[in-house]
Amino acid sequence: MTAASAAAPIPTKSAFDSTTLGLAIFTIIAWASAFPAIRAALGGFGALELGAVRFAIAAVPAALFLAVTRPKLPEWRDAWRFGFGGLVFVAGYTVLLNLGQQTVSAGAASFIININPIITAALAMLVLGERFTGSQWLGSAISLAGVGVIAFGQNGAALDLGIGVLLVLGAALCNSLTTIVQKPLFAQHKPLTVTAWNMVVGGLLLSPFLPSGIAQAQTAATASLYAMFYLAIVPSLITYATWTTLLSRLPAGRASNLLYAAPPVSLLISYLWLGEVPSLLGILGGTMALGGVVIVNLKR
């Protein structure tokens, strides 16, 4: 694939069918639950060790999938895109988010991550030739403002520019960059194949921290162990697959805008799981975030 062809738009659907809608709803809920799950798991694991154990578990069925289906191996000109996903989307994103959530609450982390769709939309226009209409930019602005309102109204979660916030912002950048880099792969490779390679490569890159992660698992509290296994199966193995499938069916910028719905969902899950109580500003911001998603994805 030449540089020119890599920059060309990849044909995707523009409207939601029932399958795309189902994938979107599941992905939003599952990814929203990852933030409180990480906070719970960090009670028994270090940030690097949690990532290593989480993706060691997820990489095993991913490797078996590749062994059974035996998909076409990527050509050399595309191999770097697969490696990029494992390095940046799995290893980089996971390590930065885990380190950030050592000091940033689950709800606040989900809000900070949501700068990702704006980054992705800008990169998609520059690299993939995608376009955003005025109404879609309006919806993005409303959603981003809603995220800000939620963050401002968080109880005990002041969003100063500390190291934790910067680490979570770095994780958002990892997500955006991988969305753009791997989007061209879906012209020749199935989404599940891309996901499986991401898992395997990411798991291998994190494997140096696996021995200490296994040692920590032997002394971790039951709640931390359950949270770790949940992270490995649902937000990792399953949701990475639904996300890449969703990305193959929608333009990159539009798919990423769906993640604006994650903060209010994460707010609810954090309340039920961790006891984080949402404020009135949080509820208002959640309504704004969801409303922006609706505006961005309305059919003409």
Side-chain angles (χ1 to χ4, degrees):
M1 182 178 295
T2 64
S5 62
I10 304 300
T12 49
K13 298 180 179 180
S14 59
F16 278 88
D17 55 24
S18 58
T19 300
T20 304
L21 180 61
L23 288 170
I25 293 173
F26 178 86
T27 300
I28 290 167
I29 294 174
W31 246 343
S33 70
F35 298 97
I38 289 172
R39 286 285 284 182
L42 285 173
F45 294 88
L48 299 177
E49 289 79 6
L50 174 59
V53 176
R54 172 184 176 181
F55 283 100
I57 296 173
V60 171
L64 290 175
F65 171 81
L66 292 174
V68 171
T69 59
R70 302 182 68 176
K72 179 182 68 173
L73 292 175
E75 299 179 7
W76 283 111
R77 59 192 175 187
D78 285 337
W80 73 276
R81 298 184 187 273
F82 285 92
F84 191 94
L87 173 63
V88 177
F89 190 40
V90 175
Y93 176 91
T94 299
V95 168
L96 289 173
L97 184 57
N98 288 357
L99 288 170
Q101 283 202 240
Q102 288 180 327
T103 56
V104 176
S105 71
S110 70
F111 309 143
I112 298 167
I113 281 289
N114 270 266
I115 197 173
N116 159 54
I118 295 295
I119 300 172
T120 303
L123 291 174
M125 288 193 300
L126 293 173
V127 179
L128 300 180
E130 296 183 5
R131 293 183 178 180
F132 248 36
T133 65
S135 63
Q136 288 173 319
W137 279 118
L138 174 63
S140 296
I142 293 173
S143 289
L144 189 58
V147 169
V149 170
I150 297 172
F152 182 77
Q154 274 291 282
N155 293 330
L159 293 181
D160 57 2
L161 287 179
I163 184 64
V165 171
L166 294 177
L167 288 168
V168 178
L169 284 172
L173 180 61
C174 288
N175 195 336
S176 297
L177 289 173
T178 307
T179 298
I180 299 302
V181 168
Q182 291 201 320
K183 177 67 173 175
L185 291 177
F186 302 125
Q188 299 182 24
H189 301 275
K190 295 181 179 179
L192 292 182
T193 300
V194 176
T195 299
W197 277 114
N198 285 347
M199 294 289 172
V200 172
V201 174
L204 288 173
L205 291 173
L206 291 168
S207 63
F209 305 101
L210 185 58
S212 57
I214 294 174
Q216 291 177 2
Q218 296 173 358
T219 59
T222 302
S224 295
L225 285 174
Y226 284 156
M228 181 272 294
F229 279 111
Y230 175 81
L231 280 168
I233 302 302
V234 180
S236 300
L237 183 64
I238 299 176
T239 310
Y240 274 56
T242 61
W243 168 247
T244 51
T245 304
L246 192 63
L247 185 60
S248 71
R249 300 172 68 91
L250 293 172
R254 190 177 183 198
S256 291
N257 266 275
L258 291 170
L259 300 184
Y260 275 130
V265 176
S266 184
L267 196 72
L268 175 61
I269 297 174
S270 296
Y271 168 71
L272 296 174
W273 193 339
L274 303 175
E276 294 182 357
V277 180
S279 64
L280 291 177
L281 283 176
I283 296 173
L284 172 62
T287 302
M288 292 172 63
L290 287 172
V293 173
V294 172
I295 292 174
V296 169
N297 291 284
L298 280 176
K299 289 177 62 177
R300 280 183 170 271

